[in-house]
Amino acid sequence: MHKFLFVALLGISFFTFGQTENCRITYSGQVIDIHDQESVPYARVQIKELNQTVMADSNGFFSFANLCPGDYSFNCFHHIGCEPEKFKRTISKDLFEQVFIEFHFDELDEVTVEYTIFKMSTISVLKPSELEKRFSAGKTLGDLVKQIPGVNSLNTGSSISKPVIHGMHSNRVLVLNNGVRQEGQQWGSEHAPEIDPFLMSEVCLIRGASAVRYGSDAIAGVILTNPKKLFYEPGVRGEAYATAFSNGRQGSISTMLEGSFKKLKGFSWRTQGTFKQGGTLQAPRYYLKNTAMKEYNFSLNAKYEHERWGAEVFYSQFNTDLGIFSAAHIGNLTDLNKAFLADKPLEEGSFTYQIDKPKQHIEHEFFKASGFYNLNSKNRLVFQYGRQYNLREEYDRHVVFNDSIAALNLPAFQLTLLTHTADLKWEHQWLKNLTGEIGISYLKQGNNYQGRFFVPNFGKQSIGMYWLEVLKMKEYELEIGVRADRSDLNVYMYENKVLQNYEHIFQNISGSIGASRKISHHWVIRANAGTAWRAPSINELYSNGLHHGAAAIEIGNRAMKKELAINFQAGLTFKSRKLNALVDVYHNEIQGFINLKPTLPPMLTIKGAFPVFRYEQINARFSGVDLSLRYNPTTSLSVFMKGSMVRAFDKTNQYFVVGIPADRVEPGVDYKLQLKKDQKMTFHLAIPLVRTQDRVEANSDYVAPPKGYVLVNAQIAYEFKIREQNVDISLEANNLLNQSYRDYLNRFRYFSDEIGRNIALKIKVPFNIKKHEKNSEQK
């Protein structure tokens, strides 16, 4: 009997020990919002069989430890009070995955439902809403980001647009394309970022402490553009996006196809392409001669992720041909001064798709290879390499009388820029609430010109190192960062037929500190202060001649020093079910601000007569306020208003800085109508109001600032499902009343009005190849 009991107990012990040995599995992951692809902080994940619930951290990460092998049912709650996402998993070994969940609510996309725990940030991270992204679809990056308060667009004619943040643009605005610093000839006012807007799923503006991690040029801010994250659910899916615009009879189509394989878990791929063509654009009273354009782009993307490591490759090409407004290129001083005073261009055109001289041809090739390796649950290494090739050809209007030379159809001048970048960073977690990263970045760049001189050949190398730490507590968040950079510029140019080499070395240390605090359930206050700097760009140092695309003569100064900025910013955010409000104020002191200033009178050259602009270095002060409000009296109706105001003063010469955006405010209303379960309509009306820019010294520009204006923009969108696929159709009108106006930030305001009414039809249709499920059940 005793022997029997001993054997039984021994057997039970071995069985229990075996179970204990196997019950050491860890199931972990990150909760991702399927709409904006962002992590969901403090989401709750529950295992029904064990009645065990864990809360994700501030970055959406969660973990269940000591699980036994078996089948489990999971509930994932976006926030308290919402319906959970339900899914099943068969657990046999350690598993990490992204869990995609949907935020269910009955308000518009921009409205944020009251959260139990409020997400804080020390920095100002602003994004266009889904409605605003839809309204800007088929347009440029500048048109999209100017939907954000405090952002305007610097235009050259009607087809070239680049972002202006708090009155600053070009080399003071850093653009990261898919995690890589975008490098083209961005110094030019008419050199827009070479990025396909259809490829961008995420676009956001970062201002504040975290900007130090991105580079030395982020004085105004950083614009992040990223494609949609790759999914790993087996199957193939895609979408087609088509647009048609009445003004210029422009049309575009963009298609995307992506997928992953059931037998190759962790691997995903995507291919995408865009074609766009438009003809002569039209102002309310006349055609804008030679404003046709053509654009064709494509991209390829592949990624593999394992439990501890992952790798990704991305390749894209951007190609465009742009006509330059002919009436801005004038043959003599008499006609130029006459054009300045005229209310219509001296030269009008008719509709055509043909692109004549003057024109631009731009090619941009982009390659990225990146990878990560998880050292453990709290440490990760991330590496990234980028290669970019940029070709810019500019053809002037000047007639070549030698037939053999004319037959070659060579550009007036050509710039080729080759850039290599490499980045390595260590992401770490010192304590439960203390995370950070330490990184190093390297850039090597070479520029070559052919034809007429504007900027010389040069080679550039730069290296930067940064350290950033973030402390996140329940009621507050603190972020501190420091960065050191060095840039070496070697310039090669002929002077008096002798090749000269000039070397410029710039280096500096920048730092920032930011803090935010949750005042109550709805309120968060934040503030940050920091220093920033940038080295003068090649055109600011050495440009000397006709800048063809801008139709202006620009003169640099090789004695330019680096810009040094001290930035202060504070903000207040309120969020509830009915009201969203954001107010940001800022003040920047910039020593050695490099300003492109009109220098009267204009100059006559063999290419024609052009206004003259000269780079000068001053001490400047930039201050302003950005405002965004949205009120939801009902679940269907939303009233909004956004606005911005910037003041820039030249402290050296004691007058206002030229080229600063005028005050603007944009009220509007959105209304959503639920037709059936899977059908809804959205009505959008916005009325931008822009003041006259009266903070300009008398006789300091060739033409006085234009009068302020009021526009009416409207959109109707219809969403429905076909075979469980969401289809979007929208009809919209820009400048609905066909208002004649000129914008102060358009360099061609000297010669013409902005384009008139533009009616657009947009259709987005998914490929019904295989339905994509957010969290498919695994059996």
Side-chain angles (χ1 to χ4, degrees):
M1 181 67 179
H2 293 289
K3 289 183 179 180
F4 174 77
L5 290 174
F6 175 77
V7 172
L9 289 172
L10 187 63
I12 294 173
S13 299
F14 274 110
F15 175 79
T16 306
F17 177 76
Q19 288 292 96
T20 304
E21 282 291 294
N22 291 331
C23 295
R24 294 183 178 181
I25 299 174
T26 297
Y27 174 68
S28 58
Q30 185 182 25
V31 183
I32 303 293
D33 191 303
I34 196 170
H35 291 298
D36 60 16
Q37 303 297 302
E38 287 195 345
S39 61
V40 179
Y42 311 114
R44 285 174 166 79
V45 185
Q46 178 189 60
I47 300 179
K48 291 180 62 177
E49 289 80 1
L50 304 178
N51 195 25
Q52 184 178 349
T53 302
V54 298
M55 178 185 290
D57 64 14
S58 59
N59 294 312
F61 289 101
F62 68 91
S63 179
F64 290 94
N66 300 323
L67 297 179
C68 300
D71 296 328
Y72 295 96
S73 302
F74 292 86
N75 289 332
C76 185
F77 297 85
H78 193 294
H79 62 281
I80 290 180
C82 76
E83 289 295 319
E85 289 289 338
K86 300 179 180 180
F87 59 99
K88 294 182 178 181
R89 292 291 182 266
T90 299
I91 306 295
S92 60
K93 61 180 181 178
D94 289 349
L95 176 64
F96 176 91
E97 65 177 346
Q98 290 180 327
V99 178
F100 294 92
I101 66 174
E102 187 172 11
F103 193 179
H104 299 281
F105 55 89
D106 294 327
E107 288 127 327
L108 295 173
D109 291 337
E110 181 66 11
V111 180
T112 302
V113 171
E114 183 177 337
Y115 280 85
T116 302
I117 298 178
F118 194 84
K119 184 177 181 180
M120 297 181 296
S121 178
T122 65
I123 58 177
S124 177
V125 181
L126 301 173
K127 299 180 179 181
S129 68
E130 291 301 319
L131 280 174
E132 290 169 333
K133 287 199 289 185
R134 179 188 292 157
F135 192 73
S136 302
K139 302 177 185 177
T140 65
L141 174 64
D143 291 320
L144 176 58
V145 297
K146 76 177 183 181
Q147 305 296 329
I148 299 173
V151 181
N152 297 276
S153 62
L154 178 67
N155 299 323
T156 303
S158 302
S159 55
I160 302 174
S161 175
K162 64 190 309 180
V164 179
I165 303 174
H166 292 166
M168 292 177 275
H169 58 84
S170 300
N171 281 338
R172 297 181 189 92
V173 175
L174 189 58
V175 177
L176 261 68
N177 180 13
N178 198 5
V180 177
R181 178 181 176 130
Q182 180 78 7
E183 288 291 338
Q185 306 286 355
Q186 65 262 26
W187 44 263
S189 62
E190 91 295 3
H191 300 171
E194 299 90 351
I195 300 175
D196 184 355
F198 284 106
L199 186 60
M200 301 180 297
S201 173
E202 177 191 14
V203 178
C204 66
L205 168 64
I206 293 181
R207 302 190 297 252
S210 283
V212 297
R213 82 179 70 183
Y214 299 112
S216 60
D217 294 338
I219 291 180
V222 181
I223 294 175
L224 303 181
T225 70
N226 289 303
K228 183 171 63 173
K229 292 184 179 179
L230 292 167
F231 288 99
Y232 295 98
E233 294 293 331
V236 179
R237 52 204 159 267
E239 65 182 26
Y241 209 139
T243 67
F245 293 87
S246 63
N247 203 320
R249 306 177 196 175
Q250 182 188 111
S252 65
I253 184 167
S254 182
T255 60
M256 181 272 292
L257 193 67
E258 63 180 356
S260 56
F261 305 105
K262 187 175 182 180
K263 294 183 179 180
L264 187 58
K265 294 183 178 180
F267 178 79
S268 188
W269 58 270
R270 177 186 296 134
T271 181
Q272 179 265 350
T274 299
F275 177 78
K276 181 192 300 184
Q277 185 170 17
T280 308
L281 296 169
Q282 187 175 15
R285 297 178 294 156
Y286 46 80
Y287 279 100
L288 302 171
K289 187 176 181 180
N290 198 41
T291 51
M293 59 81 64
K294 182 184 291 185
E295 182 180 310
Y296 41 99
N297 319 308
F298 73 90
S299 66
L300 304 169
N301 194 188
K303 187 175 183 179
Y304 178 76
E305 282 197 7
H306 194 259
E307 292 180 7
R308 298 197 64 175
W309 63 275
E312 179 180 11
V313 291
F314 178 89
Y315 177 82
S316 69
Q317 278 194 18
F318 178 96
N319 307 273
T320 186
D321 292 284
L322 297 169
I324 302 298
F325 181 45
S326 299
H329 289 247
I330 297 175
N332 59 73
L333 291 172
T334 301
D335 286 345
L336 179 61
N337 287 311
K338 186 178 178 180
F340 287 157
L341 299 174
D343 67 342
K344 296 175 65 176
L346 299 185
E347 184 179 2
E348 298 182 29
S350 58
F351 181 82
T352 178
Y353 283 104
Q354 182 175 338
I355 302 174
D356 295 320
K357 298 177 182 179
K359 65 179 182 178
Q360 294 180 349
H361 172 74
I362 301 106
E363 299 176 11
H364 191 85
E365 189 178 50
F366 180 99
F367 173 77
K368 166 193 168 182
S370 62
F372 71 87
Y373 182 75
N374 294 323
L375 301 173
N376 51 47
S377 61
K378 296 181 179 180
N379 292 272
R380 168 189 277 202
L381 292 177
V382 180
F383 172 77
Q384 179 175 273
Y385 166 77
R387 178 192 179 275
Q388 297 176 71
Y389 171 79
N390 186 274
L391 170 68
R392 176 173 291 271
E393 296 176 339
E394 300 202 357
Y395 298 79
D396 67 26
R397 200 178 183 184
H398 184 66
V399 178
V400 178
F401 294 101
N402 186 312
D403 292 338
S404 60
I405 295 178
L408 298 176
N409 194 30
L410 298 175
F413 81 95
Q414 172 183 299
L415 297 172
T416 56
L417 183 72
L418 181 62
T419 306
H420 297 273
T421 57
D423 301 270
L424 177 65
K425 65 179 179 179
W426 167 37
E427 299 175 350
H428 53 263
Q429 181 177 358
W430 301 112
L431 302 171
K432 180 179 179 181
N433 298 315
L434 180 62
T435 60
E437 57 184 68
I438 298 174
I440 183 170
S441 58
Y442 174 75
L443 177 146
K444 184 177 182 180
Q445 193 172 72
N447 182 78
N448 176 267
Y449 90 91
Q450 296 179 18
R452 185 182 68 243
F453 177 86
F454 181 66
V455 293
N457 298 334
F458 68 86
K460 178 181 178 181
Q461 294 190 71
S462 63
I463 187 169
M465 294 175 286
Y466 72 91
W467 187 359
L468 183 71
E469 296 293 334
V470 182
L471 176 65
K472 293 184 178 182
M473 305 298 289
K474 186 176 182 180
E475 300 293 335
Y476 67 88
E477 181 176 318
L478 179 66
E479 181 169 305
I480 300 176
V482 63
R483 183 181 179 100
D485 289 276
R486 175 187 167 112
S487 177
D488 291 32
L489 178 68
N490 283 279
V491 176
Y492 306 93
M493 59 188 298
Y494 281 94
E495 292 182 326
N496 299 321
K497 299 183 180 181
V498 177
L499 181 63
Q500 302 288 350
N501 173 219
Y502 298 99
E503 184 178 14
H504 302 265
I505 298 176
F506 305 97
Q507 57 189 358
N508 203 65
I509 296 176
S510 55
S512 61
I513 181 170
S516 66
R517 181 172 178 81
K518 183 174 67 173
I519 302 174
S520 68
H521 185 73
H522 301 287
W523 292 92
V524 167
I525 187 171
R526 63 184 180 278
N528 58 70
T531 61
W533 77 286
R534 78 172 185 94
S537 58
I538 189 66
N539 63 312
E540 295 165 337
L541 293 166
Y542 287 96
S543 63
N544 187 12
L546 175 60
H547 192 172
H548 181 266
I553 292 172
E554 298 180 7
I555 302 171
N557 182 354
R558 66 183 66 177
M560 292 285 185
K561 307 297 182 183
K562 60 189 175 186
E563 283 185 358
L564 298 172
I566 301 176
N567 303 329
F568 301 93
Q569 182 176 316
L572 187 65
T573 301
F574 177 88
K575 287 191 177 183
S576 70
R577 185 178 296 272
K578 286 188 173 293
L579 178 65
N580 282 4
L582 179 145
V583 179
D584 277 333
V585 295
Y586 58 91
H587 179 81
N588 303 329
E589 294 282 345
I590 304 178
Q591 178 182 344
F593 179 80
I594 301 174
N595 186 34
L596 183 60
K597 183 180 178 181
T599 306
L600 284 64
M603 182 183 296
L604 180 64
T605 72
I606 61 171
K607 303 293 184 181
F610 299 94
V612 179
F613 294 80
R614 188 180 297 272
Y615 288 99
E616 65 174 14
Q617 200 152 28
I618 61 175
N619 294 330
R621 178 180 67 239
F622 285 74
S623 303
V625 60
D626 304 324
L627 172 68
S628 177
L629 297 169
R630 184 175 286 270
Y631 176 65
N632 311 284
T634 69
T635 57
S636 298
L637 181 64
S638 179
V639 181
F640 66 87
M641 184 186 73
K642 55 186 178 181
S644 63
M645 179 181 70
V646 57
R647 300 289 181 264
F649 189 71
D650 178 351
K651 298 168 64 178
T652 301
N653 300 300
Q654 294 297 302
Y655 49 66
F656 297 108
V657 178
V658 298
I660 301 303
D663 300 342
R664 63 178 58 218
V665 64
E666 183 176 326
V669 61
D670 294 323
Y671 182 76
K672 185 182 70 174
L673 179 63
Q674 192 73 41
L675 301 176
K676 295 181 180 179
K677 181 180 179 181
D678 296 327
Q679 299 180 25
K680 66 178 179 180
M681 294 189 71
T682 304
F683 302 87
H684 171 79
L685 177 68
I687 305 176
L689 298 93
V690 181
R691 288 187 68 241
T692 302
Q693 179 53 285
D694 51 12
R695 290 170 176 81
V696 176
E697 302 299 320
N699 302 316
S700 63
D701 203 347
Y702 292 96
V703 178
K707 295 180 180 179
Y709 57 88
V710 179
L711 301 178
V712 177
N713 300 324
Q715 181 189 60
I716 300 175
Y718 177 50
E719 300 176 44
F720 60 97
K721 284 189 175 183
I722 298 179
R723 296 183 179 179
E724 301 301 317
Q725 303 293 312
N726 293 318
V727 179
D728 295 343
I729 300 177
S730 65
L731 182 67
E732 64 185 48
N734 296 271
N735 192 6
L736 180 62
L737 303 182
N738 206 29
Q739 177 74 29
S740 294
Y741 72 101
R742 300 190 182 191
D743 190 274
Y744 179 63
L745 291 187
N746 194 330
R747 288 284 290 269
F748 285 170
R749 65 179 174 84
Y750 292 161
F751 309 104
S752 70
D753 294 340
E754 300 289 329
I755 68 171
R757 182 186 298 114
N758 197 2
I759 307 297
L761 176 65
K762 302 176 181 180
I763 303 175
K764 183 179 179 181
V765 181
F767 293 161
N768 191 17
I769 296 176
K770 182 174 181 179
K771 179 183 175 182
H772 170 60
E773 300 175 354
K774 294 168 291 189
N775 292 295
S776 61
E777 294 189 0
Q778 296 180 358
K779 297 182 180 180

